[in-house]
Amino acid sequence: MQISWEYLFVYFFESIGIFMSVFFFLQYYILRRKEYLYYATYLMLLAIYSFVALPEYYFTLNPNDPEAVYAYDLFKRPVQYLSSTAYTLFVIYYLGLNDIKGKLRIIFRTLLYVYVTAALLSFVLNYFRVAYNPYYFLFSLILLPVQLYVLVSLFRNRIPYSGYIIWGSIITIMGSVSSLLLTIYVSNYPAGHPIRELNIFMPAQFCILIDMFLYAIALQKKIADNERSLINAAYQRQQAILLERERIIADLHDDVGGGLSSIRMMSDLMVRQQTAPEKQAHFAEKISKTSREIAQRMHTIIWSLNEENDKLDNFIEYVRQFGMSYFENSNVSFTYELLSPDLPSVQINGTLRKNLFLVIKEAFHNILKHAEASKAVFQ
């Protein structure tokens, strides 16, 4: 039996649709990204729609017998609207519209409800064999400007990767409108007329094939960009670690190295001036003071490296304890007064914490040495 080119095209469309659907289901299983799940569902529903809309291409039946095609017509338009639902969900998750607020998100949410309602309503009307073709065509024409408005909104908002959705949707709309117009044209001819044997879905199927390959590229492009972003983020983290190491080395050199050099010099002088006990006592006092300062600086460096201290309340507690220790054996009375019992949840990184602490430490030093104060309050 010779198979016409129309049959070959329908079989080609069906095989590509099923293959791509299985492929994206596997992608979802591997990557666990919902846009793959919804796009695979969309393609699978399109394949099912091809079965129920064109049963004469797959099964032995008389397409002019209403009873023979009733079982297929029962599900044809419900599956069509469900495929539109899956496609809308794919667009929402592919563009990340589920995570943003605004008019565009409301429109897509509304479209979801409209498509699901239309699927249920068309199934009920088909089940009770209610003729509603004119209303179906009118509803499809009403949806067209809404879809165009959504595409214009995507273009105006410059949402990442929206270019693929815009062009893919334009191609799909062109195919759907062509098939819709062809359907209206063919329906004007009586049953049995040769023109009724035309595959009215061919324009839509052809555009959907283009759409499949376009979105395959789009989804892989997003994966590649995500991988590139992860690589860049890992590189930035590595650079941050290297910078942090350099900062720690510099801090150790400046804060500890200088103090140890001073201790070594004073120790050498003590050894040389053994006959001067008063000078030895002076050097011993300086060595003790310098040792305490080095210990404090080491403690500050370690404290600044601990990420658990990044919270504001931890920083305030550390300053409070340091202040009490700093003014403990002086004539200055140190007190801590909390202005608000509820501290804001603020993160302070290690470098910022250390710099703030050094500023406060310098303020404490000025109070103790130059202000001639009797009381210091930390608020």
Side-chain angles (χ1 to χ4, degrees), residues 244 247 300-319 343-358 360 378:
E244 185 67 12
R247 185 184 70 82
T300 302
I301 292 173
I302 296 172
W303 168 75
S304 66
L305 295 177
N306 191 350
E307 294 182 355
E308 295 181 356
N309 298 320
D310 284 351
K311 295 182 179 180
L312 179 61
D313 53 351
N314 290 337
F315 173 78
I316 292 176
E317 177 61 21
Y318 183 81
V319 173
L343 293 175
S345 180
V346 179
Q347 295 292 112
I348 309 176
N349 61 48
T351 303
L352 179 58
R353 278 190 289 116
K354 182 185 175 185
N355 292 334
L356 287 175
F357 173 75
L358 292 178
I360 295 174
F378 176 65

Side-chain angles (χ1 to χ4, degrees), residues 240-253:
I241 292 173
L242 292 175
L243 291 174
E244 185 67 12
R245 288 177 179 175
E246 293 177 358
R247 185 184 70 82
I248 294 171
I249 293 172
D251 288 345
L252 291 174
H253 180 270

